Each structure stands twice: as structure tokens, then as C-alpha cells.
Amino acid sequence: DAKTTQPNSMESNEEEPVHLPCNHSTISGTDYIHWYRQLPSQGPEYVIHGLTSNVNNRMASLAIAEDRKSSTLILHRATLRDAAVYYCILRDQGAQKLVFGQGTRLTINP
Amino acid sequence: GAGVSQSPRYKVTKRGQDVALRCDPISGHVSLYWYRQALGQGPEFLTYFNYEAQQDKSGLPNDRFSAERPEGSISTLTIQRTEQRDSAMYRCASSSQQRTAGNQPQHFGDGTRLSIL
């Protein structure tokens, strides 16, 4: 699986939008971009994924660059419960396993 | 509906003992995965099953580790002759099967915290 690069940590304020970046310059045409998050003392939780087009769901939005070499996870209105480690993962269409990197530790200030 | 269930939540055992960790996936999920997570790190893949067939065990650290899923539902990860370095959080995940696996989310359980004394 191709590698991703994320900032080690980010900080934001409650009720403000959060933009979590991910660089994946070596992405291949069959790689899906997945985002998971892990809240303290819990297992990873699926957030969103996409291939080429931007995606929206009840949790977040995923903005994918036109060249697919980067993406941004958008939390539209952060709450304290969004404080977690966020993982950006590339996953080939045929790949079963997830390969986790270090992720971005997001801190939300009240 | 019920999520992925793992038991026990905590397991403390002496070095040299065998341990068995259980995973009950989401009902109807065909694929089941085992990961291991060290403190402060992301989960690391161990093995996965489609139905009862173990498709990939490339992540198992050595031959003391084994897994089975005999009826295509519940899975057991067994560690024989445990060592202190086996101490970690062991996580199970499941997913429903689609033609393109990369397009399918995985749903994780809360894990089993294994401590080897």
C-alpha cells in the first residue's frame, strides 16, 4: 500500500470547522482513500472513504485533489467528542488489510 | 445492531501460558480481520479470513500465533507459550464482502488488552 503523510498533531476549537490534510503523492489509480479515527480507549472507527470524487456523509466530508495526490478530511463543526487520532489510509481496490500510519492527533479546545 | 464483540476485554497471564482471544463479528459479515496495537501506535495487521478460509496470515509474528474461524463466524486468535513482548491490544474487525475489497469499510471491536507477566 502506498504511504501517506499527515501532521503529527492539530488543534482546533469547539464548534469550528477542522481541515485534516493528507498527502499521498504516490497514489495509484486503484487506491481508495480511507479515513478512520480512534477515540481514546476505543477501537478504530470508519469515517469516510472515496476514490476520485468528493464525498459527504453524516460524520464528515472528504475533499480529494484533482490529481489525487492529496486529500482533506473536513469536520464541519467540531465537538469535544471529535478529539481523536485520525488515520488517512490508502487501500488498493483488491487489498483486504488496512495499513495504519501514525495518524494526526486532533485536540479540540472548549 | 450489535457491533464486533471481543472477549475477554482484559487478559493477564504468566509468561509461558497459552491464551485464546475470541472475536464475534457483525452478523452476516463475511470477512474478519485480526490486528495488534502497541501503545501509541496504529493497529498492525495480523491475519484475515473470508468465511472460514484464512486468506492471509502474513502478519502473524511467528508460529506461536495462530487463528481459526471454523464455521465462518466466530474466530479465535491463539498465542502459545506467551512472552512479555506479546503484551498489546488485540483488535478484531469485520466487513461485508464486495467485489472490490478496497471499497469496503472495516468495523472494529473494542479489543482485548493482553498483559504477559
Side-chain angles (χ1 to χ4, degrees), chain B residues 26-104:
Chain B
I26 292 172
S27 178
H29 276 193
V30 166
S31 301
L32 184 147
Y33 311 80
W34 284 100
Y35 293 83
R36 179 169 69 172
Q37 187 169 19
L39 205 59
Q41 304 291 320
E44 180 184 26
F45 170 80
L46 295 177
T47 185
Y48 93 91
F49 294 81
N50 276 342
Y51 298 100
E52 72 281 359
Q54 190 172 19
Q55 301 286 357
D56 182 355
K57 53 182 181 179
S58 63
L60 296 177
N62 51 60
D63 60 8
R64 295 186 296 106
F65 287 72
S66 63
E68 62 175 9
R69 193 186 185 199
E71 297 179 359
S73 179
I74 292 169
S75 176
T76 303
L77 177 69
T78 301
I79 309 173
Q80 296 179 311
R81 305 180 302 281
T82 53
E83 302 177 4
Q84 284 188 331
R85 59 177 172 159
D86 299 333
S87 296
M89 177 71 82
Y90 288 82
R91 299 199 184 274
C92 176
S94 70
S95 69
S96 57
Q97 189 178 45
Q98 283 191 355
R99 195 158 49 91
T100 50
N103 195 23
Q104 195 62 25

Side-chain angles (χ1 to χ4, degrees), chain A residues 2-42:
Chain A
K3 287 189 175 179
T4 63
T5 303
Q6 300 178 252
N8 288 333
S9 61
M10 288 185 62
E11 202 168 323
S12 186
N13 298 318
E14 199 175 10
E15 298 186 4
E16 291 184 357
V18 180
H19 291 232
L20 294 160
C22 181
N23 287 321
H24 29 78
S25 57
T26 58
I27 190 171
S28 76
T30 55
D31 283 334
Y32 286 85
I33 302 162
H34 283 249
W35 283 83
Y36 284 75
R37 72 179 185 181
Q38 189 166 18
L39 280 65
S41 302
Q42 294 188 24

Side-chain angles (χ1 to χ4, degrees), chain A:
Chain A
D1 295 289
K3 287 189 175 179
T4 63
T5 303
Q6 300 178 252
N8 288 333
S9 61
M10 288 185 62
E11 202 168 323
S12 186
N13 298 318
E14 199 175 10
E15 298 186 4
E16 291 184 357
V18 180
H19 291 232
L20 294 160
C22 181
N23 287 321
H24 29 78
S25 57
T26 58
I27 190 171
S28 76
T30 55
D31 283 334
Y32 286 85
I33 302 162
H34 283 249
W35 283 83
Y36 284 75
R37 72 179 185 181
Q38 189 166 18
L39 280 65
S41 302
Q42 294 188 24
E45 175 187 27
Y46 166 78
V47 177
I48 200 167
H49 78 284
L51 185 62
T52 56
S53 302
N54 295 344
V55 184
N56 299 294
N57 65 21
R58 64 174 180 82
M59 290 182 69
S61 295
L62 176 60
I64 301 173
E66 197 169 333
D67 64 3
R68 300 186 71 235
K69 293 186 176 182
S70 66
S71 61
T72 302
L73 179 71
I74 303 166
L75 307 179
H76 294 286
R77 193 165 169 271
T79 70
L80 296 178
R81 291 183 300 171
D82 291 322
V85 178
Y86 286 76
Y87 296 99
C88 171
I89 299 170
L90 296 185
R91 190 175 178 205
D92 182 78
Q93 64 180 7
Q96 287 285 353
K97 65 183 180 183
L98 293 169
V99 180
F100 290 82
Q102 291 296 107
T104 296
R105 183 172 297 279
L106 176 65
T107 301
I108 304 296
N109 300 314

